[in-house]
Amino acid sequence: MNPAADAPVTTDTGSAGYVRRTSLWARAATGAMTAAVFMIVVAPPDRLQGDVQRLLYVHVPTAWLAYLAFAVTLLGSAAWLATRRQRWDRLAAASAEVGVVFTGLTLALGSIWGKPVWGVWWTWDPRLVTTALLFFVYLGYLALRRATIDPVLRARRSALLGIVSFIQVPVIHFSVVWWRTLHQPATVLRPSAASMAPSMLAALFASLAAFTLIYVVLLRTRIRLLTLEELAEARTAERPVAGDDVRPVAVAGGTSDG
């Protein structure tokens, strides 16, 4: 199968595509600045944690967006197995890359917040451990893609791993319910009403909206780059290389290289 067989006819490289991409980036930047105003100006400092609590307005949305990114990888993987269309593999791969970035950001911000609040950079809390495991498993997913040359085999192996790996996401979410240790339980995604002040909740959702826009922009950008990479690889594979026209010289009793 040609890896670029179902690639779009255009890779959005014209002026119209440039305008669309610039518009998306502008909207994401506007969303980020708006969220910053909510986080810094609108939301008050926490009564116990002070301004350190504002880190959670980024920490929590990046964790949720990581969940979303890996859910998209799950859907893309299942769709590839069902249809064998390369666009689904691209979607799964691109979303996994963005998800790994968001998961790493979640871990880093959680560690920075944990030092002044918990007194440690890291602790073997089930939520932290399962999130770190998620990070390394999806790093393995990306490494698997890099290590597999054949595009069909790469897509099949990645799809299976992308589906199996997602089981970690509900485990992480419910880890604070199943194993009550240091990490606080959910304050928003829970059966009862959110236990946050309205202004803090507004800041959290403004940040969530901004990071959702950033996720969409990064996902579209990475899919476009993957498409261009596959088209370039396909053209390189079809291009003659030096030595193709060299033929062994026939000599009496055999060939020159025999």
Coordinates of all heavy atoms in Angstrom, one line a residue, residues 103 107 122 124 126-139 168 172:
T103 N 0.8 15.4 28.5 CA 1.0 14.6 29.7 C 2.3 15.0 30.4 O 2.4 15.1 31.6 CB 1.1 13.1 29.3 OG1 -0.1 12.8 28.6 CG2 1.2 12.3 30.6
L107 N 2.7 16.5 34.2 CA 3.6 16.0 35.3 C 4.5 17.1 35.8 O 4.8 17.2 37.0 CB 4.4 14.8 34.7 CG 3.7 13.5 34.4 CD1 4.5 12.6 33.6 CD2 3.3 12.9 35.8
W122 N 8.1 14.9 44.1 CA 7.5 13.7 43.6 C 7.1 12.8 44.8 O 7.9 12.8 45.8 CB 8.4 13.0 42.7 CG 8.0 11.6 42.3 CD1 8.3 10.4 42.9 CD2 7.1 11.2 41.2 NE1 7.7 9.3 42.3 CE2 6.9 9.8 41.2 CE3 6.4 12.0 40.3 CZ2 6.1 9.2 40.3 CZ3 5.5 11.4 39.4 CH2 5.4 10.0 39.4
W124 N 5.2 8.7 45.6 CA 4.6 7.5 44.9 C 3.1 7.4 45.1 O 2.6 6.4 45.6 CB 5.4 6.3 45.3 CG 6.8 6.3 45.0 CD1 7.9 6.7 45.7 CD2 7.4 6.1 43.7 NE1 9.0 6.7 45.0 CE2 8.8 6.3 43.7 CE3 6.8 5.7 42.4 CZ2 9.6 6.1 42.6 CZ3 7.7 5.5 41.3 CH2 9.0 5.7 41.5
P126 N -0.7 7.0 43.7 CA -1.2 6.2 42.6 C -1.5 7.1 41.4 O -1.3 6.7 40.2 CB -2.5 5.5 43.2 CG -2.2 5.4 44.6 CD -1.4 6.6 45.0
R127 N -2.1 8.3 41.6 CA -2.4 9.2 40.5 C -1.1 9.6 39.7 O -1.1 9.6 38.5 CB -3.2 10.4 41.0 CG -3.4 11.5 39.9 CD -4.2 11.1 38.7 NE -5.6 10.9 39.0 CZ -6.6 11.8 39.0 NH1 -6.2 13.0 38.8 NH2 -7.8 11.5 39.2
L128 N -0.1 9.9 40.5 CA 1.2 10.3 39.9 C 1.8 9.2 39.1 O 2.3 9.3 38.0 CB 2.1 10.9 40.9 CG 2.0 12.4 41.3 CD1 0.6 12.7 41.9 CD2 3.1 12.9 42.2
V129 N 1.8 8.0 39.8 CA 2.5 6.9 39.2 C 1.8 6.4 37.9 O 2.5 6.2 36.9 CB 2.6 5.7 40.2 CG1 3.1 4.4 39.5 CG2 3.5 6.1 41.4
T130 N 0.5 6.3 37.9 CA -0.2 5.9 36.7 C -0.1 6.9 35.6 O -0.1 6.6 34.4 CB -1.7 5.7 37.1 OG1 -2.3 6.8 37.8 CG2 -1.9 4.4 38.0
T131 N 0.0 8.2 36.0 CA 0.1 9.3 34.9 C 1.5 9.2 34.3 O 1.7 9.3 33.1 CB -0.1 10.7 35.5 OG1 -1.4 10.7 36.1 CG2 0.0 11.7 34.5
A132 N 2.5 8.9 35.2 CA 3.9 8.8 34.6 C 4.0 7.5 33.8 O 4.6 7.5 32.7 CB 4.9 8.6 35.8
L133 N 3.3 6.5 34.2 CA 3.3 5.2 33.3 C 2.6 5.5 32.0 O 3.1 5.1 30.9 CB 2.5 4.1 34.1 CG 2.4 2.8 33.4 CD1 3.8 2.2 33.2 CD2 1.6 1.8 34.2
L134 N 1.5 6.3 32.0 CA 0.9 6.7 30.8 C 1.8 7.4 29.8 O 1.9 7.1 28.6 CB -0.3 7.6 31.1 CG -1.1 8.1 29.9 CD1 -2.1 7.0 29.4 CD2 -1.9 9.4 30.3
F135 N 2.6 8.3 30.4 CA 3.6 9.1 29.6 C 4.6 8.2 29.0 O 4.8 8.3 27.8 CB 4.3 10.1 30.6 CG 5.3 10.9 30.0 CD1 5.0 11.9 29.1 CD2 6.7 10.7 30.3 CE1 6.0 12.7 28.5 CE2 7.6 11.5 29.7 CZ 7.3 12.5 28.8
F136 N 5.1 7.2 29.7 CA 6.1 6.4 29.1 C 5.6 5.3 28.2 O 6.2 5.0 27.2 CB 6.9 5.7 30.3 CG 7.8 6.6 31.0 CD1 7.6 6.9 32.3 CD2 8.9 7.1 30.4 CE1 8.4 7.8 33.0 CE2 9.8 8.0 31.0 CZ 9.5 8.3 32.4
V137 N 4.3 4.9 28.4 CA 3.7 4.0 27.4 C 3.5 4.6 26.1 O 3.8 4.1 25.0 CB 2.4 3.4 28.0 CG1 1.6 2.7 26.9 CG2 2.7 2.4 29.2
Y138 N 3.0 5.9 26.1 CA 2.8 6.6 24.8 C 4.1 7.0 24.2 O 4.2 7.2 23.0 CB 1.8 7.7 25.0 CG 0.4 7.2 24.9 CD1 -0.3 6.9 26.1 CD2 -0.2 7.0 23.7 CE1 -1.6 6.4 26.0 CE2 -1.5 6.5 23.7 CZ -2.2 6.2 24.8 OH -3.5 5.7 24.8
L139 N 5.2 7.2 25.0 CA 6.5 7.4 24.4 C 6.9 6.2 23.7 O 7.5 6.2 22.6 CB 7.5 7.8 25.5 CG 7.7 9.2 26.0 CD1 8.7 9.3 27.0 CD2 8.0 10.1 24.8
Q168 N -5.4 2.8 30.3 CA -4.8 3.5 31.5 C -5.6 4.8 31.9 O -5.6 5.2 33.0 CB -3.4 3.9 31.1 CG -2.5 2.8 30.8 CD -1.2 3.3 30.3 OE1 -0.2 3.4 31.0 NE2 -1.1 3.7 29.0
I172 N -6.4 6.0 35.6 CA -5.8 7.2 36.2 C -7.0 8.1 36.8 O -6.9 8.6 37.9 CB -5.1 8.0 35.1 CG1 -3.8 7.3 34.7 CG2 -4.7 9.4 35.6 CD1 -3.2 7.9 33.5

